Amino acid sequence: MSKPGDSNQITRDYFDSLLLETRYWDSDLPSTHMELFGSAFETPIMTAALSHLHGVCENGMVAIAEGAAAAGAVHWAGMTEEDELEDIISTDAKTVKIIKPHLDDQVVLKKIEHANAHGALAVGMDIDHCFSGNGAYDVVCGLPMHSKTTEDLRRYVNASEVPFIVKGVLSVKDAEKCAEAGVKGIVVSHHHGIISYAVPPLMVLPEIKKAVGDKMKIFVDCGIESGLDVFKALALGADAVCVGRDLMEALKNGGTAVTERINQMNRELMTIMARTGAKSLNEIDPSVIHFRNF
């Protein structure tokens, strides 16, 4: 049984509160092809920005990248050593490198430079790791973190030759600040319950979409377990989604299992798209979503 305020359970309950109507006339089998930052992909289902996967399977960080590449999916990478990121990108996985909000700004800038130099699709910051749960700044793997300002964000955006992403946006206010700073994409996420009683990403997503429109790409993370969950996120305003823990389970059987799981979820997405009259991702209509009130 979940504890009161469990953000992951609240998020799951919100997913399950969203109901769908069907639209069969004039529908057909859909395409899930997606373009992002000048590259084409087979699916809007992406890996999440995971780290330290060596205990999941042998060379787990590279294996999940290989799985994403084989599925034609965008790959995201969290904390890595420089040589590890180079190994990940050498798999031909189009990779978004996410950097922690390190106290030392030079560490951040060096990581941006390294990701740019070695062919990352995009680079970004995991802003919700500024603070720990004990009233202090966070420390991750012995490395001190710190809060950042919008001026810091502008500097990071300007330092990157590839699109800059911010992960951990869960409000219109933060989304608007990202847009003003020139950010090219945000991940709407509460980092798997980093704060109790967090608003579910899909609950705040339509407000964020209305506020920033097409100024940036909008991605959703947290609790996505099926193609149906993916569809609901896309219908409410996301351009693509990140899947983490569900793929970690598949990764126990290696990169091929990751490919199979992404493909399975994509087929589930295609089924829902066909049954709701969407022949492509941009034809997904938010009006097919109904909110349970009974």
Side-chain angles (χ1 to χ4, degrees):
M1 181 179 294
S2 61
K3 296 179 181 179
D6 182 340
S7 296
N8 298 312
Q9 187 60 54
I10 292 169
T11 294
R12 183 69 258 161
D13 291 344
Y14 194 75
F15 267 116
D16 293 342
S17 75
L18 302 175
L19 311 180
L20 305 178
E21 64 179 57
T22 57
R23 297 179 183 178
Y24 289 111
W25 291 111
D26 301 314
S27 189
D28 203 344
L29 292 178
S31 166
T32 57
H33 291 183
M34 175 186 77
E35 289 192 7
L36 181 65
F37 305 143
S39 294
F41 299 94
E42 297 296 320
T43 176
I45 301 168
M46 312 181 292
T47 67
L50 301 172
S51 308
H52 316 303
L53 298 177
H54 312 294
V56 180
C57 78
E58 185 177 357
N59 207 7
M61 293 293 286
V62 171
I64 194 169
E66 291 173 337
V74 180
H75 175 60
W76 294 58
M79 294 184 78
T80 59
E81 298 297 332
E82 288 187 351
D83 59 346
E84 187 174 40
L85 179 60
E86 292 167 24
D87 289 343
I88 288 168
I89 294 175
S90 71
T91 66
D92 292 330
K94 298 291 187 180
T95 300
V96 180
K97 166 61 178 171
I98 295 297
I99 300 164
K100 297 294 183 189
H102 295 273
L103 171 63
D104 186 345
D105 229 30
Q106 292 306 307
V107 172
V108 174
L109 294 171
K110 183 181 178 183
K111 288 181 179 293
I112 292 173
E113 181 181 15
H114 179 262
N116 278 237
H118 288 85
L121 177 69
V123 65
M125 177 165 283
D126 185 4
I127 196 64
D128 52 12
H129 253 296
C130 294
F131 307 108
S132 72
N134 62 1
Y137 290 116
D138 208 352
V139 177
V140 181
C141 298
L143 301 171
M145 305 292 144
H146 204 275
S147 57
K148 301 297 179 182
T149 67
T150 50
E151 287 303 315
D152 293 328
L153 179 55
R154 289 188 183 94
R155 187 167 60 257
Y156 303 148
V157 169
N158 291 334
S160 182
E161 299 170 4
V162 297
F164 195 87
I165 311 295
V166 173
K167 179 177 178 288
V169 173
L170 202 62
S171 66
V172 168
K173 186 173 290 292
D174 274 359
E176 289 175 335
K177 288 183 177 181
C178 288
E180 291 166 5
V183 167
K184 298 302 183 185
I186 55 174
V187 182
V188 182
S189 165
H190 54 58
H191 206 109
H192 196 69
I194 202 167
I195 183 173
S196 297
Y197 291 101
V199 60
L202 264 60
M203 182 180 284
V204 74
L205 174 61
E207 299 173 34
I208 291 175
K209 179 66 175 178
K210 182 178 180 181
V212 302
D214 296 324
K215 295 178 182 177
M216 65 181 74
K217 295 294 184 180
I218 301 174
F219 312 120
V220 167
D221 194 6
C222 295
I224 293 174
E225 300 174 353
S226 68
L228 181 54
D229 289 346
V230 175
F231 178 87
K232 291 176 180 180
L234 299 179
L236 292 178
D239 293 291
V241 305
C242 296
V243 180
R245 291 173 187 271
D246 191 90
L247 293 185
M248 285 176 65
E249 187 63 28
L251 184 61
K252 292 177 181 178
N253 295 311
T256 300
V258 170
T259 302
E260 292 171 353
R261 180 60 183 141
I262 293 173
N263 288 341
Q264 179 185 21
M265 293 178 72
N266 200 59
R267 289 192 295 271
E268 294 168 357
L269 170 62
M270 291 175 67
T271 297
I272 301 301
M273 289 174 64
R275 289 175 171 169
T276 55
K279 299 175 187 176
S280 64
L281 297 178
N282 61 14
E283 290 184 30
I284 294 176
D285 187 339
S287 67
V288 304
I289 299 285
H290 294 264
F291 297 86
R292 180 187 294 167
N293 57 5
F294 55 85

